[in-house]
Amino acid sequence: MTKTPERTDVAIIGAGPAGLFAVFECGMMNMRCHVIDVLEAVGGQCQALYPDKPIFDIPGHTRILASDLVMKLEQQAAPFDPAYHLGQQVVKLAQREQGRWLLETSRDILIDAQVVFVAAGVGAFGPKRPPLQGIERFEGKGIHYLVKNREGFRGKKVVIAGGGDSAVDWAISLSELAAKVSVVHRRTKFRAAPASAEKLQKLADVGAVDLVIPFQLAAIEGDGDSLKAIIVHDLDGNERRLEADALLSFFGLSQNLGPIADWELNLNDSLIAVNPGTSATNKPGIFAIGDIATYPGKVKLILSGFAEAAQAAHAAHSLVHPDEELHFEHSSIKGVPGNRLK
Ligand code: FAD
């Protein structure tokens, strides 16, 4: 049976900072948004790659943690009631009648939108999976590639694999609440920031963390789809069995433009060329904003994505509401739902 598509004004591909702020800007122009992201959480690069790092060049914030910026952007968008479709990739985009667009996701959700904003950064994030047999069975249950809820690991035996910032930062953080934290890394030296690596070593010295180095993941032991242990080997063939309720695998995230490359958008070195005044692409009704959009003089910063989101929302208004004249009002005059000023 053919599914009935969900109908919306604007479909936003990518829930990074540009996509999230676009929800706000579209909301201010009376346009409702559906937002799709392949990650299970909103925030794009900020949430997936550097949630605990401070950002210093967001206007009006002398210093803000990347994860706090994401939280505030989500809160700012909330009054406009966006629909989020997370954990799924937009795999198809096709033109419909009356200039509308039909999007299909990897979870078979169909979205019928008047306008599409491609806010896909440098492409869809996907985990770099360790080559462990049967790993798919445990993904999202015992095996995770990013931490959505730190509290979920309280009292658990956690094995963390990797040698970079994510592995080291989460080992330090989870050592405060997990029953046991083991860190598996194939080298004896960690690539993380020196201060963090030093802190990890101090925790290991007092027995708060078990450093399993230089070892590599070799196999998973489970009961059904419940994780029991991780087997690790060193280069000499020595084996250890680490009891585990959870494995956090931090071997980085791959990014792939994926299906977007097939949508006949004007691509320039895997970036989408847009009109710098409107963020419009070569396809009517499709706009590109944030890191994926390019034009002469483009500066790849979060704040550029914010400005592009505002420009695209203004340009999209006449397509979504062709019979309404756009009366621009500043937010300080108009207010937002639940906080109207007049
Ligand atoms: P992204 O944040 O990349 O989000 C795009 C989202 O789209 C991703 O979540 C992806 O999964 C999703 N997606 C892509 N394709 C699909 C698809 N087909 N279907 C579904 N979802 C899809 N910038 C600053 O301004 N200041 C800084 O201090 C700063 N520090 C940084 C530090 C680090 C370590 C890194 C890596 C980046 C930093 N940046 C900084 C850059 C900044 O994070 C990016 O410019 C910003 O995240 C771009 O936002 P975006 O919304 O365009 O894309």
Side-chain angles (χ1 to χ4, degrees), residues 242-275:
L242 308 171
E243 278 190 29
D245 301 309
L247 168 68
L248 295 175
S249 172
F250 294 123
F251 293 123
L253 293 166
S254 61
Q255 283 185 294
N256 184 350
L257 202 53
I260 297 173
D262 304 327
W263 297 344
E264 294 175 355
L265 295 165
N266 230 341
L267 288 184
N268 184 349
D269 226 359
S270 295
L271 300 171
I272 302 173
V274 298
N275 175 329

PDB file of all heavy atoms in Angstrom, residues 242-275:
ATOM      1  N   LEU A 242      36.444  -8.598  28.671  1.00  0.00           N
ATOM      2  CA  LEU A 242      35.988  -7.461  29.485  1.00  0.00           C
ATOM      3  C   LEU A 242      34.472  -7.552  29.623  1.00  0.00           C
ATOM      4  O   LEU A 242      33.750  -7.433  28.626  1.00  0.00           O
ATOM      5  CB  LEU A 242      36.367  -6.135  28.812  1.00  0.00           C
ATOM      6  CG  LEU A 242      37.843  -5.978  28.400  1.00  0.00           C
ATOM      7  CD1 LEU A 242      38.012  -4.711  27.556  1.00  0.00           C
ATOM      8  CD2 LEU A 242      38.730  -5.900  29.642  1.00  0.00           C
ATOM      9  N   GLU A 243      34.002  -7.783  30.831  1.00  0.00           N
ATOM     10  CA  GLU A 243      32.548  -7.818  31.034  1.00  0.00           C
ATOM     11  C   GLU A 243      31.972  -6.458  30.666  1.00  0.00           C
ATOM     12  O   GLU A 243      32.551  -5.421  31.027  1.00  0.00           O
ATOM     13  CB  GLU A 243      32.239  -8.111  32.491  1.00  0.00           C
ATOM     14  CG  GLU A 243      32.300  -9.580  32.797  1.00  0.00           C
ATOM     15  CD  GLU A 243      31.765  -9.887  34.171  1.00  0.00           C
ATOM     16  OE1 GLU A 243      30.886  -9.156  34.665  1.00  0.00           O
ATOM     17  OE2 GLU A 243      32.272 -10.863  34.744  1.00  0.00           O
ATOM     18  N   ALA A 244      30.855  -6.457  29.952  1.00  0.00           N
ATOM     19  CA  ALA A 244      30.340  -5.169  29.481  1.00  0.00           C
ATOM     20  C   ALA A 244      28.828  -5.174  29.360  1.00  0.00           C
ATOM     21  O   ALA A 244      28.241  -6.108  28.815  1.00  0.00           O
ATOM     22  CB  ALA A 244      30.946  -4.850  28.115  1.00  0.00           C
ATOM     23  N   ASP A 245      28.209  -4.099  29.888  1.00  0.00           N
ATOM     24  CA  ASP A 245      26.795  -3.850  29.598  1.00  0.00           C
ATOM     25  C   ASP A 245      26.692  -2.968  28.362  1.00  0.00           C
ATOM     26  O   ASP A 245      25.661  -2.923  27.695  1.00  0.00           O
ATOM     27  CB  ASP A 245      26.129  -3.103  30.771  1.00  0.00           C
ATOM     28  CG  ASP A 245      26.236  -3.887  32.061  1.00  0.00           C
ATOM     29  OD1 ASP A 245      25.869  -5.076  32.048  1.00  0.00           O
ATOM     30  OD2 ASP A 245      26.718  -3.326  33.074  1.00  0.00           O
ATOM     31  N   ALA A 246      27.763  -2.201  28.116  1.00  0.00           N
ATOM     32  CA  ALA A 246      27.739  -1.271  26.979  1.00  0.00           C
ATOM     33  C   ALA A 246      29.127  -1.127  26.372  1.00  0.00           C
ATOM     34  O   ALA A 246      30.130  -1.155  27.090  1.00  0.00           O
ATOM     35  CB  ALA A 246      27.255   0.101  27.440  1.00  0.00           C
ATOM     36  N   LEU A 247      29.146  -1.003  25.057  1.00  0.00           N
ATOM     37  CA  LEU A 247      30.384  -0.653  24.344  1.00  0.00           C
ATOM     38  C   LEU A 247      30.152   0.685  23.663  1.00  0.00           C
ATOM     39  O   LEU A 247      29.190   0.851  22.896  1.00  0.00           O
ATOM     40  CB  LEU A 247      30.721  -1.711  23.283  1.00  0.00           C
ATOM     41  CG  LEU A 247      31.826  -1.324  22.289  1.00  0.00           C
ATOM     42  CD1 LEU A 247      33.190  -1.225  22.984  1.00  0.00           C
ATOM     43  CD2 LEU A 247      31.917  -2.321  21.129  1.00  0.00           C
ATOM     44  N   LEU A 248      31.017   1.659  23.958  1.00  0.00           N
ATOM     45  CA  LEU A 248      30.973   2.934  23.240  1.00  0.00           C
ATOM     46  C   LEU A 248      32.141   2.940  22.271  1.00  0.00           C
ATOM     47  O   LEU A 248      33.299   2.917  22.693  1.00  0.00           O
ATOM     48  CB  LEU A 248      31.120   4.105  24.224  1.00  0.00           C
ATOM     49  CG  LEU A 248      29.994   4.271  25.228  1.00  0.00           C
ATOM     50  CD1 LEU A 248      30.320   5.381  26.229  1.00  0.00           C
ATOM     51  CD2 LEU A 248      28.716   4.616  24.497  1.00  0.00           C
ATOM     52  N   SER A 249      31.837   2.940  21.002  1.00  0.00           N
ATOM     53  CA  SER A 249      32.881   2.827  19.991  1.00  0.00           C
ATOM     54  C   SER A 249      33.114   4.195  19.366  1.00  0.00           C
ATOM     55  O   SER A 249      32.225   4.748  18.717  1.00  0.00           O
ATOM     56  CB  SER A 249      32.407   1.806  18.946  1.00  0.00           C
ATOM     57  OG  SER A 249      33.276   1.801  17.866  1.00  0.00           O
ATOM     58  N   PHE A 250      34.298   4.749  19.590  1.00  0.00           N
ATOM     59  CA  PHE A 250      34.596   6.096  19.082  1.00  0.00           C
ATOM     60  C   PHE A 250      35.746   6.044  18.081  1.00  0.00           C
ATOM     61  O   PHE A 250      36.866   6.442  18.385  1.00  0.00           O
ATOM     62  CB  PHE A 250      34.942   7.032  20.240  1.00  0.00           C
ATOM     63  CG  PHE A 250      33.792   7.303  21.171  1.00  0.00           C
ATOM     64  CD1 PHE A 250      33.882   7.036  22.519  1.00  0.00           C
ATOM     65  CD2 PHE A 250      32.615   7.850  20.683  1.00  0.00           C
ATOM     66  CE1 PHE A 250      32.823   7.304  23.378  1.00  0.00           C
ATOM     67  CE2 PHE A 250      31.541   8.123  21.532  1.00  0.00           C
ATOM     68  CZ  PHE A 250      31.655   7.841  22.885  1.00  0.00           C
ATOM     69  N   PHE A 251      35.444   5.505  16.894  1.00  0.00           N
ATOM     70  CA  PHE A 251      36.461   5.491  15.838  1.00  0.00           C
ATOM     71  C   PHE A 251      36.171   6.575  14.814  1.00  0.00           C
ATOM     72  O   PHE A 251      36.559   6.471  13.662  1.00  0.00           O
ATOM     73  CB  PHE A 251      36.513   4.107  15.181  1.00  0.00           C
ATOM     74  CG  PHE A 251      37.009   3.040  16.123  1.00  0.00           C
ATOM     75  CD1 PHE A 251      36.246   1.917  16.394  1.00  0.00           C
ATOM     76  CD2 PHE A 251      38.222   3.183  16.760  1.00  0.00           C
ATOM     77  CE1 PHE A 251      36.708   0.945  17.283  1.00  0.00           C
ATOM     78  CE2 PHE A 251      38.691   2.225  17.650  1.00  0.00           C
ATOM     79  CZ  PHE A 251      37.933   1.103  17.911  1.00  0.00           C
ATOM     80  N   GLY A 252      35.442   7.584  15.223  1.00  0.00           N
ATOM     81  CA  GLY A 252      35.159   8.699  14.327  1.00  0.00           C
ATOM     82  C   GLY A 252      33.874   8.468  13.563  1.00  0.00           C
ATOM     83  O   GLY A 252      33.264   7.412  13.619  1.00  0.00           O
ATOM     84  N   LEU A 253      33.491   9.541  12.884  1.00  0.00           N
ATOM     85  CA  LEU A 253      32.276   9.474  12.081  1.00  0.00           C
ATOM     86  C   LEU A 253      32.678   9.731  10.640  1.00  0.00           C
ATOM     87  O   LEU A 253      33.507  10.589  10.370  1.00  0.00           O
ATOM     88  CB  LEU A 253      31.287  10.550  12.537  1.00  0.00           C
ATOM     89  CG  LEU A 253      30.705  10.381  13.947  1.00  0.00           C
ATOM     90  CD1 LEU A 253      30.033  11.660  14.407  1.00  0.00           C
ATOM     91  CD2 LEU A 253      29.714   9.236  13.990  1.00  0.00           C
ATOM     92  N   SER A 254      32.087   8.961   9.737  1.00  0.00           N
ATOM     93  CA  SER A 254      32.371   9.247   8.334  1.00  0.00           C
ATOM     94  C   SER A 254      31.277  10.194   7.852  1.00  0.00           C
ATOM     95  O   SER A 254      30.183  10.217   8.406  1.00  0.00           O
ATOM     96  CB  SER A 254      32.330   7.956   7.527  1.00  0.00           C
ATOM     97  OG  SER A 254      31.049   7.397   7.619  1.00  0.00           O
ATOM     98  N   GLN A 255      31.593  10.987   6.863  1.00  0.00           N
ATOM     99  CA  GLN A 255      30.570  11.865   6.307  1.00  0.00           C
ATOM    100  C   GLN A 255      30.512  11.662   4.813  1.00  0.00           C
ATOM    101  O   GLN A 255      31.538  11.542   4.155  1.00  0.00           O
ATOM    102  CB  GLN A 255      30.881  13.320   6.641  1.00  0.00           C
ATOM    103  CG  GLN A 255      30.513  13.621   8.081  1.00  0.00           C
ATOM    104  CD  GLN A 255      30.677  15.059   8.413  1.00  0.00           C
ATOM    105  OE1 GLN A 255      31.781  15.569   8.414  1.00  0.00           O
ATOM    106  NE2 GLN A 255      29.588  15.726   8.679  1.00  0.00           N
ATOM    107  N   ASN A 256      29.297  11.601   4.326  1.00  0.00           N
ATOM    108  CA  ASN A 256      29.107  11.211   2.946  1.00  0.00           C
ATOM    109  C   ASN A 256      27.941  12.004   2.367  1.00  0.00           C
ATOM    110  O   ASN A 256      26.852  11.996   2.934  1.00  0.00           O
ATOM    111  CB  ASN A 256      28.775   9.704   2.977  1.00  0.00           C
ATOM    112  CG  ASN A 256      28.659   9.143   1.613  1.00  0.00           C
ATOM    113  OD1 ASN A 256      28.633   9.883   0.624  1.00  0.00           O
ATOM    114  ND2 ASN A 256      28.589   7.833   1.541  1.00  0.00           N
ATOM    115  N   LEU A 257      28.201  12.689   1.268  1.00  0.00           N
ATOM    116  CA  LEU A 257      27.143  13.482   0.626  1.00  0.00           C
ATOM    117  C   LEU A 257      25.983  12.565   0.231  1.00  0.00           C
ATOM    118  O   LEU A 257      24.821  12.962   0.259  1.00  0.00           O
ATOM    119  CB  LEU A 257      27.715  14.194  -0.599  1.00  0.00           C
ATOM    120  CG  LEU A 257      26.971  15.414  -1.096  1.00  0.00           C
ATOM    121  CD1 LEU A 257      26.760  16.425   0.015  1.00  0.00           C
ATOM    122  CD2 LEU A 257      27.711  16.026  -2.258  1.00  0.00           C
ATOM    123  N   GLY A 258      26.311  11.326  -0.108  1.00  0.00           N
ATOM    124  CA  GLY A 258      25.292  10.299  -0.360  1.00  0.00           C
ATOM    125  C   GLY A 258      24.348  10.698  -1.466  1.00  0.00           C
ATOM    126  O   GLY A 258      24.757  11.257  -2.485  1.00  0.00           O
ATOM    127  N   PRO A 259      23.037  10.461  -1.245  1.00  0.00           N
ATOM    128  CA  PRO A 259      22.059  10.655  -2.321  1.00  0.00           C
ATOM    129  C   PRO A 259      21.982  12.094  -2.818  1.00  0.00           C
ATOM    130  O   PRO A 259      21.553  12.321  -3.949  1.00  0.00           O
ATOM    131  CB  PRO A 259      20.733  10.231  -1.677  1.00  0.00           C
ATOM    132  CG  PRO A 259      20.994   9.983  -0.242  1.00  0.00           C
ATOM    133  CD  PRO A 259      22.456   9.911  -0.021  1.00  0.00           C
ATOM    134  N   ILE A 260      22.399  13.064  -2.014  1.00  0.00           N
ATOM    135  CA  ILE A 260      22.297  14.477  -2.429  1.00  0.00           C
ATOM    136  C   ILE A 260      23.049  14.701  -3.742  1.00  0.00           C
ATOM    137  O   ILE A 260      22.653  15.526  -4.573  1.00  0.00           O
ATOM    138  CB  ILE A 260      22.847  15.409  -1.314  1.00  0.00           C
ATOM    139  CG1 ILE A 260      21.983  15.256  -0.063  1.00  0.00           C
ATOM    140  CG2 ILE A 260      22.911  16.853  -1.759  1.00  0.00           C
ATOM    141  CD1 ILE A 260      22.507  15.978   1.161  1.00  0.00           C
ATOM    142  N   ALA A 261      24.106  13.918  -3.933  1.00  0.00           N
ATOM    143  CA  ALA A 261      24.908  14.058  -5.152  1.00  0.00           C
ATOM    144  C   ALA A 261      24.100  13.702  -6.414  1.00  0.00           C
ATOM    145  O   ALA A 261      24.466  14.101  -7.513  1.00  0.00           O
ATOM    146  CB  ALA A 261      26.138  13.161  -5.055  1.00  0.00           C
ATOM    147  N   ASP A 262      22.981  12.984  -6.235  1.00  0.00           N
ATOM    148  CA  ASP A 262      22.195  12.555  -7.413  1.00  0.00           C
ATOM    149  C   ASP A 262      20.994  13.461  -7.695  1.00  0.00           C
ATOM    150  O   ASP A 262      20.138  13.125  -8.512  1.00  0.00           O
ATOM    151  CB  ASP A 262      21.661  11.120  -7.195  1.00  0.00           C
ATOM    152  CG  ASP A 262      22.780  10.147  -6.910  1.00  0.00           C
ATOM    153  OD1 ASP A 262      23.881  10.342  -7.462  1.00  0.00           O
ATOM    154  OD2 ASP A 262      22.555   9.205  -6.112  1.00  0.00           O
ATOM    155  N   TRP A 263      20.875  14.578  -6.991  1.00  0.00           N
ATOM    156  CA  TRP A 263      19.660  15.390  -7.126  1.00  0.00           C
ATOM    157  C   TRP A 263      19.792  16.516  -8.148  1.00  0.00           C
ATOM    158  O   TRP A 263      18.989  17.451  -8.150  1.00  0.00           O
ATOM    159  CB  TRP A 263      19.239  15.954  -5.753  1.00  0.00           C
ATOM    160  CG  TRP A 263      18.879  14.878  -4.769  1.00  0.00           C
ATOM    161  CD1 TRP A 263      18.594  13.572  -5.045  1.00  0.00           C
ATOM    162  CD2 TRP A 263      18.766  15.014  -3.334  1.00  0.00           C
ATOM    163  NE1 TRP A 263      18.309  12.885  -3.882  1.00  0.00           N
ATOM    164  CE2 TRP A 263      18.412  13.744  -2.814  1.00  0.00           C
ATOM    165  CE3 TRP A 263      18.923  16.072  -2.447  1.00  0.00           C
ATOM    166  CZ2 TRP A 263      18.213  13.516  -1.454  1.00  0.00           C
ATOM    167  CZ3 TRP A 263      18.725  15.851  -1.095  1.00  0.00           C
ATOM    168  CH2 TRP A 263      18.370  14.581  -0.606  1.00  0.00           C
ATOM    169  N   GLU A 264      20.829  16.417  -8.979  1.00  0.00           N
ATOM    170  CA  GLU A 264      21.058  17.389 -10.057  1.00  0.00           C
ATOM    171  C   GLU A 264      21.138  18.829  -9.554  1.00  0.00           C
ATOM    172  O   GLU A 264      20.682  19.770 -10.196  1.00  0.00           O
ATOM    173  CB  GLU A 264      19.972  17.255 -11.130  1.00  0.00           C
ATOM    174  CG  GLU A 264      20.059  15.914 -11.834  1.00  0.00           C
ATOM    175  CD  GLU A 264      18.931  15.676 -12.818  1.00  0.00           C
ATOM    176  OE1 GLU A 264      18.016  16.511 -12.898  1.00  0.00           O
ATOM    177  OE2 GLU A 264      18.984  14.638 -13.493  1.00  0.00           O
ATOM    178  N   LEU A 265      21.671  18.977  -8.357  1.00  0.00           N
ATOM    179  CA  LEU A 265      21.935  20.326  -7.855  1.00  0.00           C
ATOM    180  C   LEU A 265      23.299  20.735  -8.380  1.00  0.00           C
ATOM    181  O   LEU A 265      24.138  19.886  -8.665  1.00  0.00           O
ATOM    182  CB  LEU A 265      21.912  20.323  -6.321  1.00  0.00           C
ATOM    183  CG  LEU A 265      20.547  19.989  -5.729  1.00  0.00           C
ATOM    184  CD1 LEU A 265      20.659  19.643  -4.247  1.00  0.00           C
ATOM    185  CD2 LEU A 265      19.577  21.156  -5.922  1.00  0.00           C
ATOM    186  N   ASN A 266      23.504  22.032  -8.501  1.00  0.00           N
ATOM    187  CA  ASN A 266      24.763  22.545  -9.028  1.00  0.00           C
ATOM    188  C   ASN A 266      25.875  22.309  -8.016  1.00  0.00           C
ATOM    189  O   ASN A 266      26.010  23.077  -7.061  1.00  0.00           O
ATOM    190  CB  ASN A 266      24.593  24.043  -9.225  1.00  0.00           C
ATOM    191  CG  ASN A 266      25.019  24.437 -10.595  1.00  0.00           C
ATOM    192  OD1 ASN A 266      25.748  23.681 -11.258  1.00  0.00           O
ATOM    193  ND2 ASN A 266      24.575  25.605 -11.022  1.00  0.00           N
ATOM    194  N   LEU A 267      26.647  21.245  -8.205  1.00  0.00           N
ATOM    195  CA  LEU A 267      27.667  20.923  -7.205  1.00  0.00           C
ATOM    196  C   LEU A 267      29.011  21.503  -7.615  1.00  0.00           C
ATOM    197  O   LEU A 267      29.381  21.489  -8.786  1.00  0.00           O
ATOM    198  CB  LEU A 267      27.810  19.416  -7.035  1.00  0.00           C
ATOM    199  CG  LEU A 267      26.676  18.682  -6.311  1.00  0.00           C
ATOM    200  CD1 LEU A 267      27.024  17.215  -6.137  1.00  0.00           C
ATOM    201  CD2 LEU A 267      26.365  19.299  -4.959  1.00  0.00           C
ATOM    202  N   ASN A 268      29.718  21.984  -6.591  1.00  0.00           N
ATOM    203  CA  ASN A 268      31.034  22.562  -6.825  1.00  0.00           C
ATOM    204  C   ASN A 268      31.927  21.966  -5.732  1.00  0.00           C
ATOM    205  O   ASN A 268      31.819  22.374  -4.576  1.00  0.00           O
ATOM    206  CB  ASN A 268      30.874  24.095  -6.678  1.00  0.00           C
ATOM    207  CG  ASN A 268      32.125  24.829  -6.973  1.00  0.00           C
ATOM    208  OD1 ASN A 268      33.196  24.217  -7.092  1.00  0.00           O
ATOM    209  ND2 ASN A 268      32.014  26.144  -7.087  1.00  0.00           N
ATOM    210  N   ASP A 269      32.685  20.926  -6.092  1.00  0.00           N
ATOM    211  CA  ASP A 269      33.540  20.291  -5.095  1.00  0.00           C
ATOM    212  C   ASP A 269      32.725  19.746  -3.916  1.00  0.00           C
ATOM    213  O   ASP A 269      33.035  20.004  -2.748  1.00  0.00           O
ATOM    214  CB  ASP A 269      34.555  21.325  -4.569  1.00  0.00           C
ATOM    215  CG  ASP A 269      35.946  20.729  -4.529  1.00  0.00           C
ATOM    216  OD1 ASP A 269      36.079  19.558  -4.883  1.00  0.00           O
ATOM    217  OD2 ASP A 269      36.874  21.455  -4.125  1.00  0.00           O
ATOM    218  N   SER A 270      31.648  19.050  -4.191  1.00  0.00           N
ATOM    219  CA  SER A 270      30.745  18.466  -3.178  1.00  0.00           C
ATOM    220  C   SER A 270      29.989  19.505  -2.353  1.00  0.00           C
ATOM    221  O   SER A 270      29.408  19.173  -1.321  1.00  0.00           O
ATOM    222  CB  SER A 270      31.493  17.528  -2.230  1.00  0.00           C
ATOM    223  OG  SER A 270      31.960  16.426  -2.930  1.00  0.00           O
ATOM    224  N   LEU A 271      30.020  20.761  -2.793  1.00  0.00           N
ATOM    225  CA  LEU A 271      29.221  21.793  -2.123  1.00  0.00           C
ATOM    226  C   LEU A 271      28.171  22.280  -3.117  1.00  0.00           C
ATOM    227  O   LEU A 271      28.379  22.184  -4.331  1.00  0.00           O
ATOM    228  CB  LEU A 271      30.101  22.960  -1.682  1.00  0.00           C
ATOM    229  CG  LEU A 271      31.214  22.596  -0.697  1.00  0.00           C
ATOM    230  CD1 LEU A 271      32.147  23.782  -0.508  1.00  0.00           C
ATOM    231  CD2 LEU A 271      30.623  22.151   0.637  1.00  0.00           C
ATOM    232  N   ILE A 272      27.068  22.831  -2.609  1.00  0.00           N
ATOM    233  CA  ILE A 272      25.992  23.253  -3.507  1.00  0.00           C
ATOM    234  C   ILE A 272      26.122  24.753  -3.773  1.00  0.00           C
ATOM    235  O   ILE A 272      26.103  25.571  -2.830  1.00  0.00           O
ATOM    236  CB  ILE A 272      24.608  22.933  -2.885  1.00  0.00           C
ATOM    237  CG1 ILE A 272      24.496  21.426  -2.596  1.00  0.00           C
ATOM    238  CG2 ILE A 272      23.491  23.392  -3.809  1.00  0.00           C
ATOM    239  CD1 ILE A 272      23.236  21.024  -1.840  1.00  0.00           C
ATOM    240  N   ALA A 273      26.254  25.100  -5.039  1.00  0.00           N
ATOM    241  CA  ALA A 273      26.381  26.515  -5.400  1.00  0.00           C
ATOM    242  C   ALA A 273      25.018  27.180  -5.255  1.00  0.00           C
ATOM    243  O   ALA A 273      24.003  26.652  -5.740  1.00  0.00           O
ATOM    244  CB  ALA A 273      26.879  26.631  -6.834  1.00  0.00           C
ATOM    245  N   VAL A 274      24.980  28.314  -4.549  1.00  0.00           N
ATOM    246  CA  VAL A 274      23.708  29.020  -4.348  1.00  0.00           C
ATOM    247  C   VAL A 274      23.854  30.493  -4.699  1.00  0.00           C
ATOM    248  O   VAL A 274      24.966  31.021  -4.778  1.00  0.00           O
ATOM    249  CB  VAL A 274      23.221  28.917  -2.869  1.00  0.00           C
ATOM    250  CG1 VAL A 274      22.959  27.487  -2.465  1.00  0.00           C
ATOM    251  CG2 VAL A 274      24.193  29.598  -1.893  1.00  0.00           C
ATOM    252  N   ASN A 275      22.692  31.134  -4.858  1.00  0.00           N
ATOM    253  CA  ASN A 275      22.656  32.578  -5.013  1.00  0.00           C
ATOM    254  C   ASN A 275      22.956  33.185  -3.635  1.00  0.00           C
ATOM    255  O   ASN A 275      22.243  32.912  -2.663  1.00  0.00           O
ATOM    256  CB  ASN A 275      21.232  32.946  -5.474  1.00  0.00           C
ATOM    257  CG  ASN A 275      21.014  34.437  -5.558  1.00  0.00           C
ATOM    258  OD1 ASN A 275      21.606  35.215  -4.804  1.00  0.00           O
ATOM    259  ND2 ASN A 275      20.149  34.829  -6.472  1.00  0.00           N
TER     260      ASN A 275
END
